[in-house]
Amino acid sequence: MKNFSRLVPIVLVLLASISLSFRPQTANKQVPKVKIIVLVHGAFVDGSGWKGVYDELVKKGYHVSVTQHTLQSLASDVAAVKRIISQQDGPCILVGHSYGGVIITEAGNDPKVVGLVYIAAHAPESNEKRAEIFKKYPSAYTSLIKGTDGYDYIDPQHFQADFAADLPKAIASFMANAQVPTADVCFQGLVENPAWKTKPSWYMVAQSDRIINPDLERFYAKRIAAKKVVEIKGGSHSIYTSRPKEVSELIEAAASY
């Protein structure tokens, strides 16, 4: 009995050390708190550009919805996205690319939305006119064509250089010739109550973006007090398509917050 009583403390110490040796792996692993993701596209494109991000997230068990809005007005686009949010059966992370960032800044006020992820996206302040902020942070692109009917598009001949420089030529060419002309009034739409003021946010900067000045993206990220900012070296405006792994990882960080 004396020998047994001496062994008990030793056994307990060994068991404790074994238990502790497994803890770091568990502690370092992100555990998703939100499993529903809603992806919102920007101007001149549709939701198909999210395919790579969609695949990355779905294979990890997330439920992902991709919005298809009309690009005819900010109000109609917000309504379309809120329609998709209403279909979700739990809390969700809202992700916006480019002009999609304006949409999620408004639609993100929905109580089901618990986090916002901006991918090379606009994150406007209350009633902020983007034309004014562009004067301070001018864009590099020169390919925008304003149609006589009030709809804008990007010159297909310059689409890859300005919009999708880090995508293969064939994919960029398809995107250029499958454009969704965007009503000019979309770019003039104002947000009254930015959701990022009350919801945690994350931001991805495309360092080689010609559509939105990368310095403007950094300005947005700082102003919204992004929980995490990721910069993609060589990333074009199309990082939501060209860098699905990095984009999905940032979304997962938001879902695990």
Side-chain angles (χ1 to χ4, degrees):
M1 289 296 293
K2 289 183 178 180
N3 290 335
F4 178 76
S5 62
R6 290 175 182 175
L7 286 173
V8 169
I10 297 173
V11 171
L12 291 175
V13 169
L14 287 172
L15 288 173
S17 64
I18 291 171
S19 175
L20 286 171
S21 68
F22 285 100
R23 288 184 182 177
Q25 295 179 4
T26 303
N28 292 334
K29 185 177 180 180
Q30 288 185 327
V31 179
K33 295 180 180 179
V34 180
K35 299 294 289 185
I36 301 173
I37 312 296
V38 177
L39 305 175
V40 181
H41 67 80
F44 312 117
V45 295
D46 63 14
S48 62
W50 287 113
K51 181 65 165 59
V53 173
Y54 175 92
D55 289 343
E56 288 284 337
L57 293 171
V58 167
K59 72 183 181 183
K60 294 180 180 179
Y62 291 91
H63 172 75
V64 186
S65 294
V66 182
T67 68
Q68 297 283 11
H69 36 281
T70 65
L71 301 177
Q72 293 183 1
S73 73
L74 177 58
S76 64
D77 291 339
V78 168
V81 171
K82 291 185 72 172
R83 190 175 301 117
I84 299 300
I85 295 171
S86 70
Q87 297 171 6
Q88 310 309 311
D89 60 4
C92 65
I93 299 295
L94 200 54
V95 186
H97 167 252
S98 192
Y99 160 71
V102 183
I103 299 172
I104 71 170
T105 298
E106 179 65 51
N109 288 303
D110 189 288
K112 285 187 177 180
V113 177
V114 295
L116 307 167
V117 181
Y118 292 86
I119 307 297
H122 293 292
E125 177 59 275
S126 178
N127 295 310
E128 181 176 68
K129 295 181 179 179
R130 290 186 295 288
E132 293 299 317
I133 203 168
F134 287 161
K135 293 178 182 178
K136 185 175 181 180
Y137 298 98
S139 300
Y141 73 93
T142 58
S143 54
L144 183 67
I145 296 176
K146 289 182 173 291
T148 57
D149 60 354
Y151 284 80
D152 305 338
Y153 65 99
I154 295 175
D155 184 345
Q157 298 298 318
H158 301 285
F159 188 93
Q160 183 176 30
D162 280 347
F163 201 96
D166 60 347
L167 281 171
K169 184 176 180 180
I171 295 176
S173 179
F174 175 80
M175 291 173 66
N177 292 294
Q179 281 188 72
V180 182
T182 302
D184 193 70
V185 294
C186 289
F187 305 122
Q188 301 167 33
L190 303 178
V191 174
E192 287 192 17
N193 300 303
W196 52 260
K197 290 191 173 183
T198 58
K199 308 285 178 77
S201 303
W202 289 256
Y203 202 102
M204 179 172 284
V205 175
Q207 289 187 356
S208 297
D209 199 331
R210 291 179 58 83
I211 300 297
I212 302 178
N213 189 324
D215 284 336
L216 176 54
E217 294 175 7
R218 295 182 183 103
F219 169 80
Y220 284 144
K222 183 177 181 180
R223 184 169 68 180
I224 68 176
K227 299 297 181 182
K228 183 176 183 179
V229 180
V230 175
E231 296 217 6
I232 303 298
K233 185 177 181 180
S236 75
H237 191 60
S238 290
I239 52 173
Y240 77 112
T241 299
S242 63
R243 308 300 176 93
K245 188 175 185 297
E246 292 91 333
V247 172
S248 62
E249 286 175 351
L250 184 60
I251 295 170
E252 287 185 83
S256 304
Y257 178 72

